[in-house]
Structures are given as structure tokens and as C-alpha cells.
Amino acid sequence: MATYLFKEFGARFLPALAYSDYRKLWAAGIFAQASNWSLIVARAALALSITGNAAAAGLVTFGAMIPILFVSPFAGYLADRFDRKRVLMSGYIINVAQNWVLATLVLTGTIEFWHLACLAVVNGIARAVQQPASSALLPNLIPKKIMFNAIALQQSTQQGGKGIGPLLILPVILTGHENWAFVISAWLYIIALFMVMNIKTSSRGIIKEQQSIFSGVTEGISYVYRVSALRWIFLLVAFHCALTMAYETLFPIISRDQLGLGDATGLYKGGAILMVAIGLGSLISSFTLAGMNSIVIRGRLYLIFGILSGISPIFLGIANSLTIAAIAAFAMGFSQAGFMTVSSVMIQQMVPDAIRGRALAIYNWQMQGLMAGFNLINGILVETALFTAMRVLSTSGLIFNLIMGSSILARPLRQIYTKGTVSYNKDL
């Protein structure tokens, strides 16, 4: 009976993991995202500890995300022009190097804020190279009929990494050895690189022989914004990322000002626990969607996830204990990951493989760029007399809920909410 139930569970929730190269990419994603998110938590807390300034925490988070704006379009071109596995490996190698340099500086006590800021930018450049290559490679590793499952499982690694990484560094933080969090982050990336190196599948897009980089990038942008269904999804995701997902800067500030965790260890602890809660909610949401076959239900959940994404940050903003804050963070992770998973699946299904790298680079460019900008803005706002973390989270959440309510006026989005799909080919 147990064997039968296990097989049924695997057949419904894990069919993509039956394919060897997909398993390697999926595992690499788990370790890389765990590293990235443990680093985000530790880096923001260290910046606040070094400077005592919330804007500094925002600046290093901004530095890690802003390269997306400049690098992603060209990274997407590279993912269509060259072997996607090799492009992916290049990004991983850069990140392994910067992680070890950072860990060495922290352990030797020679770290300065400018080191932290510069290495955050290098980290962001490497991630900008990785993301479109990884997403473009994925559909080539599995049959088309299980693409939704494969993308949902990939999203579970991206979203679940928010919890796994901070959870792995939590023991060293709680024992007062928070500097070792940077060493753990470095080792996680080495494991991820090893997984990617063992992928055997080769994959390329289609770039015309004489086509310039600028022309290739423009072709991807033109496709995304010419198809109305894609255009609306991209716009909705843009607002979602800017208004509900730019919270990393605020976690150490919430820990200090709302939760009473003001010492150096407390800043790490509060941020890590909140991020673990976000990651756990994200993992459960993405994993549940991986086993959901009904297109109609997915469409309705897209609207529900969007609304909850606006409501949950408000509860985090008014939390006055770590327990309540963690529950609110769990709800944020659950709703945000669900929204982003359904968005990613729809985009992957609509974009042809020939320009997949460029289209997904634009998606990452928009998503990460807005998160970077609003992390910086939020860090600056809470240093003024007019804003607290509570006001920032509440205002952003309310604005996004207004946008979600208005989104039903757009025909393609209304079709998605009611039918789970849209006749986007009519817009070509």
C-alpha cells in the first residue's frame, strides 16, 4: 500500500524528476537559491551592523539586484546564441569566486562596507547570466506534456530557497558565529556548480548569422510586448515585484524596530527566521501547484494569489512579536510564490524556444530590476520621519490590491481568471 501511494504521489507531483538532466538542473537550483537567499539575509544584516544605517542594507540588496537591468537582456542573447549549459556554468563559476572572496574577508575581519557593496554587484551580474540560461534550458530537458510540472518544481526551488538557505545558516547565527553563514553560502554554490557540470543536454536558440546583439535583444522585447496576453502578464508581475516582493531590506529593520531584536545577532536572527517562514510558505505553494492539473483552477488561483499577495504584507507590518511576524511572512511566501509560479508557467508556454532566452531575460530584467529599485527606495523611506516599515508594507499592499481589482478590466487577464487560459495567438 505504501509503495503504491508513493508511486501515485510521484506520478502526480514529481514526473519531471524522472529525467536525469532535469533532476540535475533542479538540484542545482536548490543549492544556488539556498546560497543566494542565505547571502541576502546575512549581507543585509552585516551592512546594517557595520553602518547602523537602514539605507546601507537597502544599498547592498539593490547592488545585488540592479545588474539585472543592464546584464539580463544581453544574457538572454547569450542564452540563445551559445550553448545554454555553458552560459549557465559561467554564471555559477563567477558566483563561486565572489562567495569565497566575501567569506574570506568576513572571517579575517577585514570586510568593509565598500567590499560588501562591490561583491554584491558581482553576485548580481552572475545571477543575471544564470537565470535566462537556466529557464531557457529547462523545456529542452523534459517532454512538453509535463512542462507545467517541471516549471512549477523549478519555481519551488527558486521560492523554497528563501527558506532553505536562511534555515541552513540559522544554527551558526543562534550560536553567535554568524560570520560562518558566508562560508555555508560559498559551499552551497560549489555543490550547485558540480550539478550543472554534469548536465549532458545541449540547447541553443536561433540567432540569425549577421544579427547584432542589439537587434537580437530588440527582437525579444518586441515579441513580449506585441502579444497582448504576455504584455498584461508582464505588467502585472512588474507591479507585484515592486509592491509586494521588495521586502529583504525591511527584515533587519523590522527585527530592530518592531520585534526588539536590536543587537548584531538579533538582526541576523530576525531576518533569517522571517526568510525561513517566507521560504516555507513558498515551497508549499509551488509544490502544491506542481500536482495541480486543472487549468481552470490555476486561473482562479492566479487571482486569489494576487489578492493575498497584497493583504499579507499588511499583517507583517503590524506584527509586534516574532511569532506573528513569522506567520505573516509564511502567508506572504505562500501567496507570492503561487502568483509567480503561475505567471512563469504561462510565459514559458507562450514563448517559442527560438527566442526563449531573450524573452525570459526580459522577464528577469523587469522582475529583479524593480525588486532592486524598491528595496533601495524602501530602505531610504524608513530612514525618514514619515515612514516606518509598517507604513511601507501597508501602503504597498493596498496599492497592489487596487491594481489586482482593476486587472479584471483587461480581457486577457479576465480570461485567465475565469478559464485559466487565453487565446494569445490571435494577438500575433
Side-chain angles (χ1 to χ4, degrees):
M1 183 65 178
T3 302
Y4 172 77
L5 291 175
F6 182 77
K7 288 182 179 179
E8 286 295 305
F9 177 85
R12 179 172 181 180
F13 289 93
L14 308 172
L17 293 180
Y19 297 86
S20 175
D21 276 354
Y22 177 82
R23 283 199 305 273
K24 294 167 188 172
L25 183 68
W26 184 74
I30 291 175
F31 288 107
Q33 290 300 324
S35 176
N36 287 331
W37 286 100
S38 64
L39 188 58
I40 284 172
V41 169
R43 192 167 47 206
L46 181 58
L48 187 57
S49 180
I50 290 173
T51 66
N53 192 315
L59 184 61
V60 294
T61 303
F62 175 79
M65 293 180 175
I66 195 60
I68 295 286
L69 287 179
F70 305 103
V71 179
S72 275
F74 303 103
Y77 175 86
L78 295 176
D80 284 339
R81 176 68 177 82
F82 301 103
D83 186 331
R84 288 163 176 163
K85 173 193 167 181
R86 293 186 179 276
V87 175
L88 183 59
M89 281 178 55
S90 299
Y92 274 60
I93 290 169
I94 294 170
N95 250 331
V96 166
Q98 78 83 26
N99 265 279
W100 278 109
V101 170
L102 177 58
T104 301
L105 290 172
V106 172
L107 287 179
T108 57
T110 56
I111 187 73
E112 296 181 20
F113 178 73
W114 73 269
H115 295 144
L116 202 59
C118 291
L119 287 170
V121 173
V122 175
N123 174 235
I125 292 172
R127 290 176 63 197
V129 171
Q130 289 168 213
Q131 289 170 349
S134 177
S135 297
L137 178 62
L138 182 149
N140 303 115
L141 308 180
I142 43 90
K144 189 175 182 179
K145 64 182 180 180
I146 61 168
M147 185 182 292
F148 180 87
N149 177 261
I151 296 171
L153 287 177
Q154 186 197 40
Q155 284 293 308
S156 75
T157 68
Q158 293 180 355
Q159 303 299 333
K162 296 177 182 179
I164 296 171
L167 184 62
L168 290 174
I169 66 172
L170 193 56
V172 296
I173 291 173
L174 294 178
T175 56
H177 298 91
E178 55 270 7
N179 287 349
W180 284 92
F182 296 94
V183 178
I184 293 172
S185 176
W187 272 108
L188 288 170
Y189 242 112
I190 287 179
I191 298 170
L193 174 60
F194 177 77
M195 296 291 181
V196 170
M197 290 173 62
N198 283 279
I199 293 174
K200 298 177 181 177
T201 302
S202 294
S203 168
R204 295 173 185 256
I206 299 176
I207 300 286
K208 297 173 184 176
E209 190 66 30
Q210 302 301 321
Q211 192 171 24
S212 66
I213 292 179
F214 178 78
S215 175
V217 171
T218 303
E219 184 180 8
I221 296 174
S222 174
Y223 182 87
V224 165
Y225 289 99
R226 189 173 72 248
V227 179
S228 70
L230 275 174
R231 183 170 64 248
W232 280 110
I233 293 171
F234 268 60
L235 288 173
L236 203 56
V237 168
F239 285 117
H240 183 262
C241 291
L243 296 171
T244 75
M245 295 185 70
Y247 47 69
E248 293 90 343
T249 296
L250 299 177
F251 279 2
I253 299 159
I254 291 171
S255 300
R256 182 189 66 186
D257 298 344
Q258 287 180 217
L259 307 180
L261 303 171
D263 62 350
T265 299
L267 296 177
Y268 282 90
K269 175 185 174 182
I273 289 175
L274 291 178
M275 196 63 79
V276 167
I278 288 263
L280 183 59
S282 300
L283 186 62
I284 292 173
S285 178
S286 299
F287 195 77
T288 301
L289 283 171
M292 186 171 292
N293 297 319
S294 172
I295 296 175
V296 174
I297 293 176
R298 290 202 300 257
R300 291 172 182 171
L301 284 175
Y302 192 48
L303 177 61
I304 294 170
F305 281 137
I307 293 171
L308 290 177
S309 288
I311 294 174
S312 51
I314 298 173
F315 287 94
L316 177 61
I318 61 176
N320 58 6
S321 74
L322 186 55
T323 300
I324 295 173
I327 294 171
F330 176 91
M332 286 172 61
F334 186 87
S335 56
Q336 291 169 5
F339 185 88
M340 296 302 291
T341 296
V342 178
S343 297
S344 296
V345 169
M346 289 190 294
I347 290 169
Q348 284 272 29
Q349 290 174 333
M350 292 181 189
V351 174
D353 193 57
I355 62 166
R356 195 181 302 276
R358 283 161 287 174
L360 293 174
I362 295 162
Y363 177 66
N364 289 323
W365 172 50
Q366 171 183 280
M367 177 177 66
Q368 298 288 348
L370 286 167
M371 287 169 61
F374 275 79
N375 262 294
L376 180 61
I377 290 169
N378 291 342
I380 294 172
L381 286 176
V382 296
E383 283 294 323
T384 69
L386 296 176
F387 281 91
T388 61
M390 179 185 72
R391 288 179 181 175
V392 170
L393 290 167
S394 299
T395 302
S396 298
L398 288 171
I399 292 173
F400 186 69
N401 270 335
L402 289 174
I403 292 170
M404 284 302 304
S406 303
S407 69
I408 61 174
L409 299 175
R411 184 177 64 85
L413 293 176
R414 190 166 61 249
Q415 281 187 281
I416 291 170
Y417 298 153
T418 56
K419 300 178 181 178
T421 187
V422 62
S423 301
Y424 63 91
N425 284 328
K426 294 179 181 179
D427 300 311
L428 290 174

